[in-house]
Amino acid sequence: MANMIESQEFGKGDFVLLDQLTKEAFMDNLKLRFQRGRIYTYIGEVVVSVNPYKSMNIYTPEYVKDYKGREFWERPPHIYALADAAYKTMKRYLKDTCIVISGESGAGKTEASKIIMNYIASITNVSHRSEIDRVTGILLKSNVILETFGNAKTTRNDNSSRFGKYMDMNFDFKGDPIGGHINKYLLEKSRVVHQQKGERNFHSFYQLLLGSTEQTLNALHLKRDPTAYTYTNQGETNNMKSIDDKRTFKEMSGALKSVGFSHDEQQTLFNLLAVVLHLGQLEFVEEGQKVRIQNKEVVNYIASLIDSNAASTEEALLTRVVAARGEVINKIHSKEDACFARDAFAKAIYERAFLWIVERINGIIEVKLDVHRYGKSTVIGVLDIYGFEIFDNNSFEQFCINYCNEKLQQLFIELVLKQEQEEYLREGITWQNVEYFNNCVICDLVEQSHKGIIAILDEACLNVGTVTDQMFLEAMDKKLKEHEHYTSRRLVPKDKDLQHDRDFRIIHYAGSVTYSVIGFMEKNKDQLFQDFKRLLFQSSNPVIKDMWPEGQQSVKEVTKRPLTAGTLFKNSMIQLVEKLASKAPYYVRCIKPNEIKSPIQFDDKRCLHQVEYLGLMENVRVRRAGFANRQPYQRFLQRYKMLSSYTWPNHQCRSDKEAVTALIKDIRFDHDVAYGNTKVFIRTPNTLVTLEEKRSELIPHIIVLLQKMWRGANARRRYRRTVAIYKIMNRYRRYKMRCYLLEMNRRFANIKRMKDLGKSVQWAVPPKVLISLAQQMKLMHARWRAKYLIKSVPKDQWPAIQMKCAAYDALHNKRQGWLRPRKWEGNYLASMSDNASLASVFLTSVDKLRSKHGFRDVIFTAHVRKVNKHNKSEDRAIMVTDKLIFKLDPAKGYKPMHGVPLNKITGLSISSGTDQLLIIHLEGHDDLVTCIHKTTPQADDRVPEAVGRILRLVKTELRSELRVNVVQQAQVKLGGKSKSISVDQQNNASTNFRKVSNTMLMLVTCPT
Ligand SMILES: Nc1ncnc2c1ncn2[C@@H]1O[C@H](COP(=O)(O)OP(=O)(O)O)[C@@H](O)[C@H]1O
Ligand SMILES: [Mg+2]
């Protein structure tokens, strides 16, 4: 009922919720809702429907979806909710249900029944399975056919059902439709031959005349003109705008075909309609004692259309065969008899055709499944029966129709009260009675044996001898004069509205209706001469023959008197009511807002009248006297548990009932509530409304809570995912690392046994994270390998190797020929092989210098050609010791000219060629620019040795690295100026530096 609170402007969605139950309040609510386009309102589970007289956009698939599987109070009032409830009950409890639609003619019953069937068809056939499609398709299409043949325009309703219809839909245990059955009740066949002003015959005639092809009409000998036929022109309303006969004819013949009527069957139906129209055209003329047919060609048409011959047809129309005392004689009709017989024939043909159509449809949709295999099928029945009717002239048909409505009202009273009472009993709740008008007494007036109107009518019809309608009226007056609901002029002489010897009045639950007795007897007898039955049975058209099996009876056969129309109808009504009473009923109460089919007018008087006779106020009262609302505990909790901390979010009680009790106590509503066995009963609507209001107040908080939780959950999920991603990444990285390391491990496993100690082993491409590690490992491997290689070298050779390594670092790939194998001697000037003549002189000088400067070792000595700042070249010697580097003059007994501490050396420069240029850059001095010469053997390449030794010396003594420039043109500093030196090697040249320019020197030397 949330919606009811939401939509205050639309009034109350359930009359039970009215603050005060008065006529005015009820009508105001009904009117308000009608004016606001809300045509449905509940009384509990009864749907009150007001005919909108305009098409409403509330039957779309979206609406179907909205109501599917929902409870009444979950959505705004709609007939779909009722259809769904019926379906749910049927499916859940495997219980047969029925939907009874009542209301007066034009109130919208037939529309409602179609809406319900469509709803059920669309909720059951979601998967479009062919068998379900077939069944629901036929059920829906058969409506079109039945409306064509069974509906007509009356002054009340352009599409008034002139027969009662009760349609069963069968479902299997899964809730899928598997078949159906249609019961029809009393077709108003008098309409075939007579229509009142402003009315029409059944739609079928007009559809045939206006909708069929020229060819068809010709074959039927018909003209496209309803005004040309007696049976279709009496109402003088043949070309109604609102009834599109042409279109519906197409629809109808399409429906006939798709439901399963063969071409011949359809043709036969059209033939029979034509026969009826032709019958109406017959003109009888009296000729002396005899009666003859003026327009004989019509007889020929009829004969050909029923596949008979003209002679027998004419005979059947003009005479009747009677059997008297074993003899058969032919009795000639009077003109009056002939007319009567003709009309009876026309009505009978039409009625039989209609009956045949219904049976044919039933044959097609009959449940063919084996009950033992598929289990019991359950049923939803939809009753759409003619509504209560008052015309200017009310005859036997209206009498039957209104009696039918009395019976249904009776059922409504019984079931609605019974159900309610049973529920209270079931739930163990005390209950007090509500006063209501029980129309049982009117039903009795009609149907009681001996004393009832039908019984009196039958008695009159049974009488041999001429009994007139007036005599029947007299009999009623006599027998029923005490009855509260019966009057006539004889009983109330002052009532001028009642005509003497013609009218009687019944005070129905829905109002007083004056009936004219004229025709009652004849219609009740419903006589058709045997001659016609025989004629049709003898037809060579098998369909027609099939319709008239009793035509085979011999004339002489004595048959039991058939039951009268009244009695047949009464029996069928009693049966119907029994059938309905055995099912769980749902009610749609239709109200007609005005007499002029207006979508806006709300005729207060008429509506109030309907509300009164439908007993809607009583209905509300019954509902309210008990409890306005009841809900199973579990459902109640589900809906309202947020109202109390005992139950939110989940209760801790032993049962739902206990939890509901705690909740209700908590919000202080226990004075207005009763606790049944399975349901909680709420007495006043106000309580329910308050509950709903409180609930709506809390809903936003709950939504926020849900949003919060959702967002939290979402964030947590995202977080967990991220963590997982990192974990996976980590694991994967580690896996890659492990793979790499294992792989490298594998490749280097035998390293010690490898000849090259793993030098040629291919290093795998490391994962990114291991790039620097791999570099370090390569270094480690190189070191290890070096150490391993060195291990075999004696310790005293290590310094030599270290020097060579230093030379390697500085010269490899830079200076030509540095690796030429030769022994590094170091102190060449002290060598007898190298410096035979002056070695001893040199050694004396060294001794002197050692004692003066206190150095330990002489690292390298050589004769050199040296250039000074004036570009002058001179022969000198250099001596590198562990403390100082000396320049000596060999010509003067190796007299020292200069001694520079080791730490003043800033770098070395040599050329990339094999010449012996050796430049020692000094801090605070001119660079020592020399070229080694006078070696033995000649032109021995000693520069690499000098470089290796000096580098190693600086490293061990000073713990520092020297820069070595290996260049084409060396840059030097002489006398504070920068000069560049290039080298020119010439055979047999004596080594010398030459000035090229102020900043350029050239070393000329012979190649080594
Ligand atoms: N729910 C509805 N929506 C639109 N029009 C409706 C509706 N119910 C009834 N009508 C209109 O009222 C007319 C009469 O309704 P109908 O169902 O034939 O009445 P009933 O069967 O009670 O005599 C319909 O032909 C249609 O025009
Ligand atoms: Mg109807």
Side-chain angles (χ1 to χ4, degrees), residues 39-40 49 51-56 59 103-112 115 151 157 159-161 384 387 590:
I39 60 170
Y40 299 116
S49 157
N51 189 343
Y53 280 123
K54 65 177 176 199
S55 62
M56 305 283 292
Y59 308 112
E104 61 187 70
S105 179
K109 299 179 297 298
T110 304
E111 292 298 321
I115 292 164
N151 287 23
N157 181 354
N159 184 33
S160 180
S161 320
D384 165 28
C590 296

Side-chain angles (χ1 to χ4, degrees), residues 162 186 188-191 194 196 347 389-403 453 457 469 472 476 502-504 506 508 513-524 569:
R162 306 318 297 163
L186 189 66
E188 186 202 43
K189 63 180 169 184
S190 62
R191 180 171 300 274
H194 179 72
Q196 304 195 22
K347 289 191 282 187
E389 252 175 22
I390 313 173
F391 289 119
D392 296 337
N393 179 24
N394 302 295
S395 180
F396 180 71
E397 287 83 358
Q398 279 67 47
F399 170 75
C400 288
I401 286 170
N402 293 341
Y403 158 64
I453 294 175
L457 181 61
D469 290 325
F472 157 60
M476 284 202 292
R502 194 193 77 182
D503 295 347
F504 68 96
I506 296 178
H508 284 288
V513 181
T514 304
Y515 300 96
S516 151
V517 288
I518 294 166
F520 260 63
M521 302 256 306
E522 175 217 311
K523 284 171 179 167
N524 191 40
F569 187 71

Side-chain angles (χ1 to χ4, degrees), residues 940-971:
D940 195 17
D941 185 8
R942 288 182 187 167
V943 167
E945 182 182 347
V947 169
R949 284 184 182 276
I950 295 169
L951 286 180
R952 184 66 198 163
L953 176 70
V954 170
K955 176 125 187 179
T956 48
E957 293 301 316
L958 304 175
R959 308 236 155 259
S960 65
E961 306 274 351
L962 275 186
R963 195 167 46 84
V964 179
N965 306 314
V966 184
V967 289
Q968 295 273 332
Q969 259 192 356
Q971 297 295 319

